Amino acid sequence: MMSSQRHVVVADPIDAAAVARLRSGPCVVDDVSADPSRLAEVLPTAWGLVVRSRTKVDAKLFASAPQLKLVARAGVGVDNVDLAAAGAHAVTVVNAPAAATVSVAELSVTFYLLLVRGLLPKVNSTRGGKWERGTSGHELAGRTVGFIGYGRIAREVAQRLVPFGATSVAFDPFVTSTTDGTSIVPLDELLARSDIVSVHAALTPENHHLLNAAAFAKMRRGAFLVNVARGALVDEAALLAALGSGQVAGAALDVFEEEPPMNRALVEHPNVIATPHLGASTHEAQSRAGADVVDEVLRALAGEPLRYPVPTPGGAR
Ligand code: MLT
């Protein structure tokens, strides 16, 4: 029997409690996250679509979902959603911009400590039976961290640096000043001053490969790079060369241009800490992301104002 209720498709795995709450709402829920091959079959009647980052919500998807009115992204980055196509199809896009802030901030600080202290080689050599107690590593105290992108996450990181005695500078074309002690500086100045360059920007066509060979050449020799944002902000071939020459002493990368990364030379480089895009994957962040997007879907179903609409060029909000 056909239901008159709206059809909401969950395309990617999100928090189970959030899906259960969605199921108790005034909609019919089709959770195809465990079997993405079913997506094509359920899209024609979908009114709402909940995704994380696996599903590419592109023009082709919009064309095969003529009833679609809402895309809810259980996370912050909306680079897997074609916003222009969403606007053209009058589809509203929402995300969960604050859900993972603390988790990604904590991961960033973890990376700084691991890199500056040079801990990973020591863990590996001790595991391999060695006992290397020679002087090594540095303190985070007194270091300068340069944030590329100064949004929610970078600000949260900056707060956590204060008790460590580290200072911060930031480059962000949309931020002109701060009240938290972080100085806003031009990109070249940030590169020249930072002991750790930490990438937190959203990926846009304008900042693709922002960290390229020219940028690495402007960094302090022996500085570190941390990327917890999006892989394509960094030119990986240029990074590999900079690691090879010692211009960049080490890098911690949670994100890659291609995921899973095919660039094994980078992932396996002895001075690289590579993790599988897990910044937002804590239980806490996923529980918040699921709750936030389900709240948005329930608001949309009730015709109530949305909390986290993402602007779509020339389209619906
Ligand atoms: C985000 O944009 O929220 C994360 O980078 C991707 C995710 O884990 O959902």
Side-chain angles (χ1 to χ4, degrees), residues 98-113 147 151-161 164 198-200 226 228 254 278-280 282 285 288:
T101 305
V102 169
S103 293
V104 183
E106 289 184 356
L107 180 67
S108 306
V109 178
T110 305
F111 280 159
Y112 305 162
L113 291 165
F147 298 111
R152 273 192 188 85
I153 294 172
R155 285 163 201 258
E156 198 80 24
V157 180
Q159 275 181 33
R160 284 160 172 72
L161 290 180
F164 280 104
S198 193
V199 185
H200 300 272
V226 170
V228 293
D254 186 45
L278 48 64
T282 60
R288 282 191 291 264

PDB file of all heavy atoms in Angstrom, residues 98-113 147 151-161 164 198-200 226 228 254 278-280 282 285 288:
ATOM      1  N   ALA A  98      28.518  22.165  13.447  1.00  0.00           N
ATOM      2  CA  ALA A  98      29.229  22.239  14.734  1.00  0.00           C
ATOM      3  C   ALA A  98      29.486  20.874  15.347  1.00  0.00           C
ATOM      4  O   ALA A  98      30.186  20.771  16.361  1.00  0.00           O
ATOM      5  CB  ALA A  98      28.420  23.100  15.707  1.00  0.00           C
ATOM      6  N   ALA A  99      28.965  19.816  14.735  1.00  0.00           N
ATOM      7  CA  ALA A  99      28.961  18.511  15.397  1.00  0.00           C
ATOM      8  C   ALA A  99      30.358  17.983  15.707  1.00  0.00           C
ATOM      9  O   ALA A  99      30.598  17.360  16.740  1.00  0.00           O
ATOM     10  CB  ALA A  99      28.201  17.507  14.532  1.00  0.00           C
ATOM     11  N   ALA A 100      31.306  18.218  14.807  1.00  0.00           N
ATOM     12  CA  ALA A 100      32.619  17.570  14.951  1.00  0.00           C
ATOM     13  C   ALA A 100      33.709  18.524  15.423  1.00  0.00           C
ATOM     14  O   ALA A 100      34.890  18.149  15.461  1.00  0.00           O
ATOM     15  CB  ALA A 100      33.022  16.959  13.613  1.00  0.00           C
ATOM     16  N   THR A 101      33.324  19.740  15.791  1.00  0.00           N
ATOM     17  CA  THR A 101      34.335  20.761  16.094  1.00  0.00           C
ATOM     18  C   THR A 101      35.353  20.278  17.139  1.00  0.00           C
ATOM     19  O   THR A 101      36.565  20.355  16.913  1.00  0.00           O
ATOM     20  CB  THR A 101      33.635  22.051  16.597  1.00  0.00           C
ATOM     21  OG1 THR A 101      32.674  22.435  15.620  1.00  0.00           O
ATOM     22  CG2 THR A 101      34.620  23.173  16.815  1.00  0.00           C
ATOM     23  N   VAL A 102      34.860  19.777  18.245  1.00  0.00           N
ATOM     24  CA  VAL A 102      35.773  19.387  19.327  1.00  0.00           C
ATOM     25  C   VAL A 102      36.627  18.188  18.897  1.00  0.00           C
ATOM     26  O   VAL A 102      37.849  18.152  19.129  1.00  0.00           O
ATOM     27  CB  VAL A 102      34.977  19.076  20.620  1.00  0.00           C
ATOM     28  CG1 VAL A 102      35.860  18.423  21.671  1.00  0.00           C
ATOM     29  CG2 VAL A 102      34.346  20.356  21.159  1.00  0.00           C
ATOM     30  N   SER A 103      36.013  17.229  18.235  1.00  0.00           N
ATOM     31  CA  SER A 103      36.768  16.032  17.818  1.00  0.00           C
ATOM     32  C   SER A 103      37.907  16.393  16.872  1.00  0.00           C
ATOM     33  O   SER A 103      39.025  15.883  17.006  1.00  0.00           O
ATOM     34  CB  SER A 103      35.838  15.036  17.128  1.00  0.00           C
ATOM     35  OG  SER A 103      34.920  14.517  18.050  1.00  0.00           O
ATOM     36  N   VAL A 104      37.627  17.254  15.908  1.00  0.00           N
ATOM     37  CA  VAL A 104      38.682  17.611  14.949  1.00  0.00           C
ATOM     38  C   VAL A 104      39.732  18.490  15.629  1.00  0.00           C
ATOM     39  O   VAL A 104      40.935  18.358  15.354  1.00  0.00           O
ATOM     40  CB  VAL A 104      38.086  18.294  13.693  1.00  0.00           C
ATOM     41  CG1 VAL A 104      39.179  18.600  12.681  1.00  0.00           C
ATOM     42  CG2 VAL A 104      37.024  17.408  13.047  1.00  0.00           C
ATOM     43  N   ALA A 105      39.290  19.351  16.528  1.00  0.00           N
ATOM     44  CA  ALA A 105      40.256  20.191  17.257  1.00  0.00           C
ATOM     45  C   ALA A 105      41.195  19.311  18.086  1.00  0.00           C
ATOM     46  O   ALA A 105      42.419  19.513  18.098  1.00  0.00           O
ATOM     47  CB  ALA A 105      39.514  21.181  18.155  1.00  0.00           C
ATOM     48  N   GLU A 106      40.637  18.320  18.767  1.00  0.00           N
ATOM     49  CA  GLU A 106      41.485  17.437  19.592  1.00  0.00           C
ATOM     50  C   GLU A 106      42.458  16.640  18.718  1.00  0.00           C
ATOM     51  O   GLU A 106      43.612  16.434  19.082  1.00  0.00           O
ATOM     52  CB  GLU A 106      40.617  16.499  20.428  1.00  0.00           C
ATOM     53  CG  GLU A 106      39.882  17.224  21.554  1.00  0.00           C
ATOM     54  CD  GLU A 106      39.088  16.282  22.451  1.00  0.00           C
ATOM     55  OE1 GLU A 106      39.039  15.070  22.180  1.00  0.00           O
ATOM     56  OE2 GLU A 106      38.506  16.792  23.443  1.00  0.00           O
ATOM     57  N   LEU A 107      41.975  16.198  17.557  1.00  0.00           N
ATOM     58  CA  LEU A 107      42.870  15.464  16.652  1.00  0.00           C
ATOM     59  C   LEU A 107      44.022  16.373  16.200  1.00  0.00           C
ATOM     60  O   LEU A 107      45.174  15.945  16.127  1.00  0.00           O
ATOM     61  CB  LEU A 107      42.090  14.948  15.435  1.00  0.00           C
ATOM     62  CG  LEU A 107      42.930  14.175  14.419  1.00  0.00           C
ATOM     63  CD1 LEU A 107      43.437  12.852  15.007  1.00  0.00           C
ATOM     64  CD2 LEU A 107      42.138  13.901  13.134  1.00  0.00           C
ATOM     65  N   SER A 108      43.703  17.622  15.923  1.00  0.00           N
ATOM     66  CA  SER A 108      44.740  18.566  15.476  1.00  0.00           C
ATOM     67  C   SER A 108      45.838  18.698  16.527  1.00  0.00           C
ATOM     68  O   SER A 108      47.032  18.605  16.216  1.00  0.00           O
ATOM     69  CB  SER A 108      44.123  19.942  15.206  1.00  0.00           C
ATOM     70  OG  SER A 108      43.047  19.825  14.313  1.00  0.00           O
ATOM     71  N   VAL A 109      45.432  18.903  17.773  1.00  0.00           N
ATOM     72  CA  VAL A 109      46.426  19.068  18.843  1.00  0.00           C
ATOM     73  C   VAL A 109      47.227  17.776  19.037  1.00  0.00           C
ATOM     74  O   VAL A 109      48.445  17.804  19.243  1.00  0.00           O
ATOM     75  CB  VAL A 109      45.750  19.515  20.165  1.00  0.00           C
ATOM     76  CG1 VAL A 109      46.773  19.634  21.285  1.00  0.00           C
ATOM     77  CG2 VAL A 109      45.033  20.845  19.965  1.00  0.00           C
ATOM     78  N   THR A 110      46.552  16.644  18.908  1.00  0.00           N
ATOM     79  CA  THR A 110      47.255  15.354  18.990  1.00  0.00           C
ATOM     80  C   THR A 110      48.351  15.300  17.929  1.00  0.00           C
ATOM     81  O   THR A 110      49.500  14.903  18.212  1.00  0.00           O
ATOM     82  CB  THR A 110      46.262  14.184  18.748  1.00  0.00           C
ATOM     83  OG1 THR A 110      45.201  14.299  19.666  1.00  0.00           O
ATOM     84  CG2 THR A 110      46.933  12.838  18.895  1.00  0.00           C
ATOM     85  N   PHE A 111      48.020  15.694  16.711  1.00  0.00           N
ATOM     86  CA  PHE A 111      48.998  15.677  15.622  1.00  0.00           C
ATOM     87  C   PHE A 111      50.172  16.616  15.934  1.00  0.00           C
ATOM     88  O   PHE A 111      51.335  16.257  15.699  1.00  0.00           O
ATOM     89  CB  PHE A 111      48.342  16.101  14.307  1.00  0.00           C
ATOM     90  CG  PHE A 111      47.543  15.023  13.619  1.00  0.00           C
ATOM     91  CD1 PHE A 111      46.565  15.358  12.688  1.00  0.00           C
ATOM     92  CD2 PHE A 111      47.769  13.674  13.858  1.00  0.00           C
ATOM     93  CE1 PHE A 111      45.835  14.374  12.021  1.00  0.00           C
ATOM     94  CE2 PHE A 111      47.043  12.681  13.200  1.00  0.00           C
ATOM     95  CZ  PHE A 111      46.067  13.042  12.280  1.00  0.00           C
ATOM     96  N   TYR A 112      49.886  17.810  16.454  1.00  0.00           N
ATOM     97  CA  TYR A 112      50.981  18.745  16.744  1.00  0.00           C
ATOM     98  C   TYR A 112      51.967  18.114  17.727  1.00  0.00           C
ATOM     99  O   TYR A 112      53.183  18.177  17.551  1.00  0.00           O
ATOM    100  CB  TYR A 112      50.479  20.059  17.373  1.00  0.00           C
ATOM    101  CG  TYR A 112      49.411  20.813  16.608  1.00  0.00           C
ATOM    102  CD1 TYR A 112      48.636  21.782  17.246  1.00  0.00           C
ATOM    103  CD2 TYR A 112      49.174  20.571  15.261  1.00  0.00           C
ATOM    104  CE1 TYR A 112      47.665  22.488  16.560  1.00  0.00           C
ATOM    105  CE2 TYR A 112      48.189  21.260  14.581  1.00  0.00           C
ATOM    106  CZ  TYR A 112      47.428  22.207  15.230  1.00  0.00           C
ATOM    107  OH  TYR A 112      46.449  22.889  14.561  1.00  0.00           O
ATOM    108  N   LEU A 113      51.406  17.511  18.780  1.00  0.00           N
ATOM    109  CA  LEU A 113      52.281  16.934  19.817  1.00  0.00           C
ATOM    110  C   LEU A 113      53.094  15.771  19.261  1.00  0.00           C
ATOM    111  O   LEU A 113      54.296  15.653  19.525  1.00  0.00           O
ATOM    112  CB  LEU A 113      51.437  16.494  21.017  1.00  0.00           C
ATOM    113  CG  LEU A 113      50.823  17.654  21.815  1.00  0.00           C
ATOM    114  CD1 LEU A 113      49.722  17.147  22.739  1.00  0.00           C
ATOM    115  CD2 LEU A 113      51.896  18.371  22.639  1.00  0.00           C
ATOM    116  N   PHE A 147      47.153  28.842  11.247  1.00  0.00           N
ATOM    117  CA  PHE A 147      45.905  28.220  10.769  1.00  0.00           C
ATOM    118  C   PHE A 147      45.545  28.749   9.398  1.00  0.00           C
ATOM    119  O   PHE A 147      45.393  29.957   9.224  1.00  0.00           O
ATOM    120  CB  PHE A 147      44.745  28.547  11.714  1.00  0.00           C
ATOM    121  CG  PHE A 147      44.922  28.024  13.101  1.00  0.00           C
ATOM    122  CD1 PHE A 147      45.125  28.891  14.167  1.00  0.00           C
ATOM    123  CD2 PHE A 147      44.888  26.660  13.348  1.00  0.00           C
ATOM    124  CE1 PHE A 147      45.276  28.408  15.455  1.00  0.00           C
ATOM    125  CE2 PHE A 147      45.044  26.170  14.633  1.00  0.00           C
ATOM    126  CZ  PHE A 147      45.247  27.048  15.693  1.00  0.00           C
ATOM    127  N   GLY A 151      37.862  29.199  10.999  1.00  0.00           N
ATOM    128  CA  GLY A 151      36.458  28.988  11.345  1.00  0.00           C
ATOM    129  C   GLY A 151      36.356  28.323  12.709  1.00  0.00           C
ATOM    130  O   GLY A 151      37.283  28.369  13.522  1.00  0.00           O
ATOM    131  N   ARG A 152      35.206  27.668  12.914  1.00  0.00           N
ATOM    132  CA  ARG A 152      34.909  27.045  14.220  1.00  0.00           C
ATOM    133  C   ARG A 152      36.043  26.161  14.735  1.00  0.00           C
ATOM    134  O   ARG A 152      36.431  26.232  15.887  1.00  0.00           O
ATOM    135  CB  ARG A 152      33.690  26.133  14.076  1.00  0.00           C
ATOM    136  CG  ARG A 152      32.378  26.786  14.260  1.00  0.00           C
ATOM    137  CD  ARG A 152      31.302  25.698  14.392  1.00  0.00           C
ATOM    138  NE  ARG A 152      29.999  26.315  14.390  1.00  0.00           N
ATOM    139  CZ  ARG A 152      29.322  26.621  13.276  1.00  0.00           C
ATOM    140  NH1 ARG A 152      29.837  26.341  12.096  1.00  0.00           N
ATOM    141  NH2 ARG A 152      28.141  27.189  13.343  1.00  0.00           N
ATOM    142  N   ILE A 153      36.538  25.271  13.839  1.00  0.00           N
ATOM    143  CA  ILE A 153      37.497  24.265  14.320  1.00  0.00           C
ATOM    144  C   ILE A 153      38.824  24.915  14.689  1.00  0.00           C
ATOM    145  O   ILE A 153      39.368  24.679  15.780  1.00  0.00           O
ATOM    146  CB  ILE A 153      37.687  23.153  13.264  1.00  0.00           C
ATOM    147  CG1 ILE A 153      36.385  22.368  13.106  1.00  0.00           C
ATOM    148  CG2 ILE A 153      38.832  22.211  13.659  1.00  0.00           C
ATOM    149  CD1 ILE A 153      36.365  21.364  11.968  1.00  0.00           C
ATOM    150  N   ALA A 154      39.339  25.778  13.806  1.00  0.00           N
ATOM    151  CA  ALA A 154      40.624  26.405  14.104  1.00  0.00           C
ATOM    152  C   ALA A 154      40.541  27.232  15.390  1.00  0.00           C
ATOM    153  O   ALA A 154      41.472  27.243  16.200  1.00  0.00           O
ATOM    154  CB  ALA A 154      41.050  27.279  12.932  1.00  0.00           C
ATOM    155  N   ARG A 155      39.408  27.901  15.597  1.00  0.00           N
ATOM    156  CA  ARG A 155      39.266  28.696  16.835  1.00  0.00           C
ATOM    157  C   ARG A 155      39.291  27.791  18.073  1.00  0.00           C
ATOM    158  O   ARG A 155      39.852  28.138  19.111  1.00  0.00           O
ATOM    159  CB  ARG A 155      37.940  29.474  16.816  1.00  0.00           C
ATOM    160  CG  ARG A 155      37.981  30.659  15.891  1.00  0.00           C
ATOM    161  CD  ARG A 155      36.582  31.139  15.573  1.00  0.00           C
ATOM    162  NE  ARG A 155      36.622  31.909  14.345  1.00  0.00           N
ATOM    163  CZ  ARG A 155      36.596  33.239  14.296  1.00  0.00           C
ATOM    164  NH1 ARG A 155      36.496  33.937  15.395  1.00  0.00           N
ATOM    165  NH2 ARG A 155      36.673  33.857  13.148  1.00  0.00           N
ATOM    166  N   GLU A 156      38.653  26.643  17.933  1.00  0.00           N
ATOM    167  CA  GLU A 156      38.639  25.691  19.049  1.00  0.00           C
ATOM    168  C   GLU A 156      40.070  25.181  19.321  1.00  0.00           C
ATOM    169  O   GLU A 156      40.458  24.986  20.469  1.00  0.00           O
ATOM    170  CB  GLU A 156      37.708  24.527  18.671  1.00  0.00           C
ATOM    171  CG  GLU A 156      37.224  23.677  19.788  1.00  0.00           C
ATOM    172  CD  GLU A 156      36.056  24.264  20.582  1.00  0.00           C
ATOM    173  OE1 GLU A 156      35.303  25.113  20.054  1.00  0.00           O
ATOM    174  OE2 GLU A 156      35.923  23.876  21.752  1.00  0.00           O
ATOM    175  N   VAL A 157      40.830  24.974  18.250  1.00  0.00           N
ATOM    176  CA  VAL A 157      42.222  24.534  18.425  1.00  0.00           C
ATOM    177  C   VAL A 157      43.016  25.648  19.119  1.00  0.00           C
ATOM    178  O   VAL A 157      43.785  25.393  20.051  1.00  0.00           O
ATOM    179  CB  VAL A 157      42.890  24.193  17.075  1.00  0.00           C
ATOM    180  CG1 VAL A 157      44.329  23.742  17.290  1.00  0.00           C
ATOM    181  CG2 VAL A 157      42.119  23.106  16.331  1.00  0.00           C
ATOM    182  N   ALA A 158      42.821  26.883  18.640  1.00  0.00           N
ATOM    183  CA  ALA A 158      43.588  28.013  19.193  1.00  0.00           C
ATOM    184  C   ALA A 158      43.405  28.110  20.704  1.00  0.00           C
ATOM    185  O   ALA A 158      44.370  28.311  21.447  1.00  0.00           O
ATOM    186  CB  ALA A 158      43.162  29.307  18.508  1.00  0.00           C
ATOM    187  N   GLN A 159      42.165  27.909  21.168  1.00  0.00           N
ATOM    188  CA  GLN A 159      41.901  27.934  22.625  1.00  0.00           C
ATOM    189  C   GLN A 159      42.730  26.891  23.353  1.00  0.00           C
ATOM    190  O   GLN A 159      43.232  27.114  24.437  1.00  0.00           O
ATOM    191  CB  GLN A 159      40.452  27.542  22.892  1.00  0.00           C
ATOM    192  CG  GLN A 159      39.448  28.629  22.807  1.00  0.00           C
ATOM    193  CD  GLN A 159      38.061  28.036  23.144  1.00  0.00           C
ATOM    194  OE1 GLN A 159      37.934  27.111  23.958  1.00  0.00           O
ATOM    195  NE2 GLN A 159      37.046  28.568  22.499  1.00  0.00           N
ATOM    196  N   ARG A 160      42.827  25.714  22.719  1.00  0.00           N
ATOM    197  CA  ARG A 160      43.546  24.609  23.369  1.00  0.00           C
ATOM    198  C   ARG A 160      45.054  24.815  23.364  1.00  0.00           C
ATOM    199  O   ARG A 160      45.778  24.163  24.119  1.00  0.00           O
ATOM    200  CB  ARG A 160      43.190  23.287  22.672  1.00  0.00           C
ATOM    201  CG  ARG A 160      41.824  22.796  23.055  1.00  0.00           C
ATOM    202  CD  ARG A 160      41.256  21.813  22.070  1.00  0.00           C
ATOM    203  NE  ARG A 160      40.013  21.230  22.573  1.00  0.00           N
ATOM    204  CZ  ARG A 160      38.854  21.899  22.658  1.00  0.00           C
ATOM    205  NH1 ARG A 160      38.784  23.158  22.262  1.00  0.00           N
ATOM    206  NH2 ARG A 160      37.777  21.308  23.149  1.00  0.00           N
ATOM    207  N   LEU A 161      45.537  25.711  22.490  1.00  0.00           N
ATOM    208  CA  LEU A 161      46.983  25.958  22.444  1.00  0.00           C
ATOM    209  C   LEU A 161      47.443  26.843  23.579  1.00  0.00           C
ATOM    210  O   LEU A 161      48.609  26.812  23.964  1.00  0.00           O
ATOM    211  CB  LEU A 161      47.359  26.602  21.103  1.00  0.00           C
ATOM    212  CG  LEU A 161      47.248  25.692  19.889  1.00  0.00           C
ATOM    213  CD1 LEU A 161      47.638  26.451  18.627  1.00  0.00           C
ATOM    214  CD2 LEU A 161      48.137  24.459  20.046  1.00  0.00           C
ATOM    215  N   PHE A 164      49.152  25.287  26.457  1.00  0.00           N
ATOM    216  CA  PHE A 164      50.434  24.696  26.045  1.00  0.00           C
ATOM    217  C   PHE A 164      51.522  25.759  25.888  1.00  0.00           C
ATOM    218  O   PHE A 164      52.686  25.416  25.678  1.00  0.00           O
ATOM    219  CB  PHE A 164      50.279  23.951  24.707  1.00  0.00           C
ATOM    220  CG  PHE A 164      49.678  22.587  24.848  1.00  0.00           C
ATOM    221  CD1 PHE A 164      48.358  22.358  24.511  1.00  0.00           C
ATOM    222  CD2 PHE A 164      50.426  21.523  25.329  1.00  0.00           C
ATOM    223  CE1 PHE A 164      47.791  21.103  24.640  1.00  0.00           C
ATOM    224  CE2 PHE A 164      49.874  20.256  25.453  1.00  0.00           C
ATOM    225  CZ  PHE A 164      48.556  20.042  25.111  1.00  0.00           C
ATOM    226  N   SER A 198      48.684  24.510   9.814  1.00  0.00           N
ATOM    227  CA  SER A 198      47.565  23.616  10.104  1.00  0.00           C
ATOM    228  C   SER A 198      46.377  24.011   9.228  1.00  0.00           C
ATOM    229  O   SER A 198      45.889  25.136   9.312  1.00  0.00           O
ATOM    230  CB  SER A 198      47.222  23.744  11.598  1.00  0.00           C
ATOM    231  OG  SER A 198      46.371  22.727  12.013  1.00  0.00           O
ATOM    232  N   VAL A 199      45.920  23.076   8.403  1.00  0.00           N
ATOM    233  CA  VAL A 199      44.931  23.416   7.367  1.00  0.00           C
ATOM    234  C   VAL A 199      43.517  23.101   7.860  1.00  0.00           C
ATOM    235  O   VAL A 199      43.221  21.962   8.240  1.00  0.00           O
ATOM    236  CB  VAL A 199      45.230  22.633   6.071  1.00  0.00           C
ATOM    237  CG1 VAL A 199      44.282  23.076   4.954  1.00  0.00           C
ATOM    238  CG2 VAL A 199      46.677  22.849   5.634  1.00  0.00           C
ATOM    239  N   HIS A 200      42.656  24.139   7.836  1.00  0.00           N
ATOM    240  CA  HIS A 200      41.280  24.001   8.342  1.00  0.00           C
ATOM    241  C   HIS A 200      40.251  24.638   7.423  1.00  0.00           C
ATOM    242  O   HIS A 200      39.134  24.922   7.858  1.00  0.00           O
ATOM    243  CB  HIS A 200      41.174  24.641   9.736  1.00  0.00           C
ATOM    244  CG  HIS A 200      42.071  24.014  10.739  1.00  0.00           C
ATOM    245  ND1 HIS A 200      41.699  22.935  11.500  1.00  0.00           N
ATOM    246  CD2 HIS A 200      43.357  24.277  11.064  1.00  0.00           C
ATOM    247  CE1 HIS A 200      42.712  22.567  12.266  1.00  0.00           C
ATOM    248  NE2 HIS A 200      43.739  23.369  12.019  1.00  0.00           N
ATOM    249  N   VAL A 226      50.005  20.041   8.930  1.00  0.00           N
ATOM    250  CA  VAL A 226      48.891  19.214   9.408  1.00  0.00           C
ATOM    251  C   VAL A 226      47.679  19.530   8.532  1.00  0.00           C
ATOM    252  O   VAL A 226      47.356  20.696   8.312  1.00  0.00           O
ATOM    253  CB  VAL A 226      48.582  19.533  10.895  1.00  0.00           C
ATOM    254  CG1 VAL A 226      47.280  18.874  11.338  1.00  0.00           C
ATOM    255  CG2 VAL A 226      49.743  19.064  11.780  1.00  0.00           C
ATOM    256  N   VAL A 228      43.698  18.513   8.356  1.00  0.00           N
ATOM    257  CA  VAL A 228      42.510  17.802   8.848  1.00  0.00           C
ATOM    258  C   VAL A 228      41.268  18.308   8.113  1.00  0.00           C
ATOM    259  O   VAL A 228      40.153  18.107   8.573  1.00  0.00           O
ATOM    260  CB  VAL A 228      42.322  17.997  10.374  1.00  0.00           C
ATOM    261  CG1 VAL A 228      43.430  17.316  11.159  1.00  0.00           C
ATOM    262  CG2 VAL A 228      42.265  19.482  10.731  1.00  0.00           C
ATOM    263  N   ASP A 254      45.064  13.694   7.731  1.00  0.00           N
ATOM    264  CA  ASP A 254      43.855  12.887   7.952  1.00  0.00           C
ATOM    265  C   ASP A 254      43.026  12.798   6.674  1.00  0.00           C
ATOM    266  O   ASP A 254      42.055  12.054   6.620  1.00  0.00           O
ATOM    267  CB  ASP A 254      43.021  13.520   9.081  1.00  0.00           C
ATOM    268  CG  ASP A 254      41.826  12.661   9.472  1.00  0.00           C
ATOM    269  OD1 ASP A 254      42.004  11.432   9.608  1.00  0.00           O
ATOM    270  OD2 ASP A 254      40.713  13.201   9.631  1.00  0.00           O
ATOM    271  N   LEU A 278      39.435  10.408   9.845  1.00  0.00           N
ATOM    272  CA  LEU A 278      38.641  10.049  11.019  1.00  0.00           C
ATOM    273  C   LEU A 278      38.386  11.215  11.962  1.00  0.00           C
ATOM    274  O   LEU A 278      37.880  11.036  13.065  1.00  0.00           O
ATOM    275  CB  LEU A 278      39.323   8.884  11.775  1.00  0.00           C
ATOM    276  CG  LEU A 278      40.836   8.983  12.079  1.00  0.00           C
ATOM    277  CD1 LEU A 278      41.207  10.097  12.989  1.00  0.00           C
ATOM    278  CD2 LEU A 278      41.343   7.653  12.582  1.00  0.00           C
ATOM    279  N   GLY A 279      38.709  12.433  11.501  1.00  0.00           N
ATOM    280  CA  GLY A 279      38.562  13.598  12.394  1.00  0.00           C
ATOM    281  C   GLY A 279      37.186  13.694  13.015  1.00  0.00           C
ATOM    282  O   GLY A 279      37.046  14.023  14.201  1.00  0.00           O
ATOM    283  N   ALA A 280      36.154  13.408  12.228  1.00  0.00           N
ATOM    284  CA  ALA A 280      34.779  13.563  12.720  1.00  0.00           C
ATOM    285  C   ALA A 280      34.181  12.243  13.179  1.00  0.00           C
ATOM    286  O   ALA A 280      32.983  12.160  13.424  1.00  0.00           O
ATOM    287  CB  ALA A 280      33.912  14.143  11.608  1.00  0.00           C
ATOM    288  N   THR A 282      34.511  10.341  15.904  1.00  0.00           N
ATOM    289  CA  THR A 282      34.330   9.893  17.292  1.00  0.00           C
ATOM    290  C   THR A 282      32.851   9.577  17.546  1.00  0.00           C
ATOM    291  O   THR A 282      31.968  10.062  16.823  1.00  0.00           O
ATOM    292  CB  THR A 282      34.748  10.993  18.292  1.00  0.00           C
ATOM    293  OG1 THR A 282      33.924  12.130  18.052  1.00  0.00           O
ATOM    294  CG2 THR A 282      36.208  11.370  18.150  1.00  0.00           C
ATOM    295  N   ALA A 285      31.031  12.950  18.173  1.00  0.00           N
ATOM    296  CA  ALA A 285      30.767  13.777  16.992  1.00  0.00           C
ATOM    297  C   ALA A 285      29.703  13.139  16.104  1.00  0.00           C
ATOM    298  O   ALA A 285      28.824  13.822  15.567  1.00  0.00           O
ATOM    299  CB  ALA A 285      32.055  13.981  16.198  1.00  0.00           C
ATOM    300  N   ARG A 288      26.289  13.606  17.624  1.00  0.00           N
ATOM    301  CA  ARG A 288      25.796  14.985  17.419  1.00  0.00           C
ATOM    302  C   ARG A 288      25.411  15.207  15.954  1.00  0.00           C
ATOM    303  O   ARG A 288      24.387  15.826  15.666  1.00  0.00           O
ATOM    304  CB  ARG A 288      26.870  16.006  17.823  1.00  0.00           C
ATOM    305  CG  ARG A 288      26.985  16.211  19.322  1.00  0.00           C
ATOM    306  CD  ARG A 288      27.860  17.414  19.633  1.00  0.00           C
ATOM    307  NE  ARG A 288      29.249  17.187  19.303  1.00  0.00           N
ATOM    308  CZ  ARG A 288      30.186  16.777  20.162  1.00  0.00           C
ATOM    309  NH1 ARG A 288      29.873  16.561  21.425  1.00  0.00           N
ATOM    310  NH2 ARG A 288      31.423  16.587  19.768  1.00  0.00           N
TER     311      ARG A 288
END
